[in-house]
Amino acid sequence: MAVQIPYRRELEFGYGAMSRLGPRIRRVIADNPSPFTLYGTGTYILGNGEVAVIDPGPADPAHIDALLRAVEGETITHVLVTHTHTDHSPGCALLKAHSDAPTYAYGPHGAGKLEEGVPVEEGGDMDFEPDHQIRHGDVIEGGDWSVECVYTPGHTSNHMCFQLREDKALFTGDHVMGWSTSIISPPDGDMAAYMRSLELLLQRDDAVYWPTHGPCIDDPKPLVQAFIEHRREREAQILECVGRGVGNIREMVPIMYTSTPEFMYPAAGRSVLAAVEYLVQKGELVSAGPISLDGSYRLP
Ligand SMILES: [Zn+2]
């Protein structure tokens, strides 16, 4: 691939232990490592005394205990949720048993797609319903912190980033991570929305990103730019495959993902499907029938 994405994976931490990352930022990482979560879900704590929590994580009592230990003697006043994948939001229900703090999110799983008339009924935490629905530009204020909500659909249709305004620090959830591209899996995942949400970040002046998974990103714009160029390369690869007569996604994946282990092919296929959907929307590809993994595609 021509585009080099400046990945970083190194991170010093211990499961169950709280790391202080700045005067207003702390993090506890859940013990749910995987090829999709790297070391696990990073739950952030904003402020001191009266704090906000971002993404309580999976339904893991040990992680919620660790989070409560980290804020002992303090009060959780707000629970912010970037999106409703099962490694991010199910911990809210466990936390409710220990805290009265209301939850804030764009909406339940699939909310952004439902507004477009597309129901999304799988692949997420279907039980989560936020106490407060938030929208782009909303500001949430607490003890010694304030947060701006930045709507960034693409990875999911309800994905929100949160900027800690005092630090110009953007909590990017799974929208931008320093160690991996984001999975864009239709129908809830949407490549056109994802690309717009990347462009949106280029217009902003965030100083640092704190993704849910992996280390912080202290020079964010070159990384965002690289992700945009990487997706454009993927689009070019798809058009090249189709131009050579490979019009089926399952056949494209091994050609396009030469350095990806085979067990990741299903996830890669979902990303190709998202890119194909985007190319059809743009009129650069024609689909013989409904757009799906088994569909067949040709150049216009
Ligand atoms: Zn996710």
Side-chain angles (χ1 to χ4, degrees):
M1 300 287 289
V3 175
Q4 291 297 317
I5 302 173
Y7 284 134
R8 273 185 55 206
R9 306 171 66 92
E10 314 75 51
L11 191 62
E12 278 188 28
F13 74 99
Y15 291 119
M18 180 264 285
S19 304
R20 181 163 281 282
L21 308 169
R24 288 186 180 81
I25 307 175
R26 287 170 279 173
R27 180 176 59 202
V28 180
I29 296 181
D31 190 359
N32 60 335
S34 81
F36 300 102
T37 63
L38 190 60
Y39 309 110
T41 301
T43 298
Y44 290 97
I45 301 161
L46 306 189
N48 300 279
E50 295 184 348
V51 305
V53 164
I54 302 179
D55 285 353
D60 173 5
H63 180 57
I64 298 301
D65 285 349
L67 180 61
L68 292 168
R69 271 201 309 280
V71 297
E72 205 171 347
E74 302 173 276
T75 307
I76 300 172
T77 58
H78 298 70
V79 178
L80 313 181
V81 173
T82 62
H83 67 294
T84 44
H85 278 152
T86 53
D87 53 326
H88 292 254
S89 53
C92 292
L94 278 64
L95 194 54
K96 284 264 183 206
H98 305 274
S99 165
D100 297 330
T103 52
Y104 294 75
Y106 185 84
H109 191 68
K113 280 287 174 180
L114 206 56
E115 287 160 13
E116 299 169 14
V118 181
V120 172
E121 288 164 346
E122 54 186 44
D125 170 10
M126 302 309 295
D127 298 326
F128 176 77
E129 185 81 47
D131 297 313
H132 298 282
Q133 292 199 354
I134 48 177
R135 289 295 178 264
H136 185 71
D138 285 356
V139 172
I140 302 169
E141 291 180 302
D144 61 344
W145 55 269
S146 65
V147 151
E148 178 196 348
C149 302
V150 183
Y151 183 43
T152 47
H155 174 65
T156 65
S157 65
N158 64 358
H159 196 289
M160 274 282 177
C161 294
F162 299 105
Q163 192 209 43
L164 176 63
R165 300 197 298 174
E166 288 74 9
D167 289 9
K168 284 195 177 180
L170 190 71
F171 294 84
T172 52
D174 288 1
H175 177 43
V176 172
M177 301 179 281
W179 63 283
S180 168
T181 56
S182 298
I183 300 281
I184 312 297
S185 179
D188 195 37
D190 185 308
M191 190 64 76
Y194 171 69
M195 295 297 272
R196 282 195 299 273
S197 295
L198 288 177
E199 297 281 355
L200 172 72
L201 296 194
L202 291 180
Q203 312 305 319
R204 297 177 49 86
D205 65 344
D206 307 290
V208 61
Y209 293 173
W210 292 100
T212 297
H213 310 285
C216 75
I217 301 157
D218 47 23
D219 187 14
K221 284 194 183 173
L223 181 68
V224 173
Q225 190 63 52
F227 281 138
I228 291 171
E229 285 164 21
H230 169 70
R231 296 294 179 171
R232 290 190 181 135
E233 273 189 353
R234 289 295 192 208
E235 289 173 29
Q237 283 182 302
I238 291 168
L239 295 175
E240 198 189 306
C241 279
V242 174
R244 283 194 293 159
V246 180
N248 174 290
I249 291 175
R250 294 183 206 280
E251 288 169 34
M252 290 179 204
V253 169
I255 299 170
M256 292 174 58
Y257 290 79
T258 48
S259 56
T260 299
E262 224 173 301
F263 76 91
M264 296 288 278
Y265 281 2
R270 305 297 303 175
S271 277
V272 175
L273 175 63
V276 162
E277 191 177 70
Y278 185 35
L279 287 166
V280 171
Q281 282 167 16
K282 291 194 289 184
E284 295 179 41
L285 214 54
V286 174
S287 175
I291 299 170
S292 77
L293 273 179
D294 300 304
S296 100
Y297 304 96
R298 62 173 177 81
L299 298 178

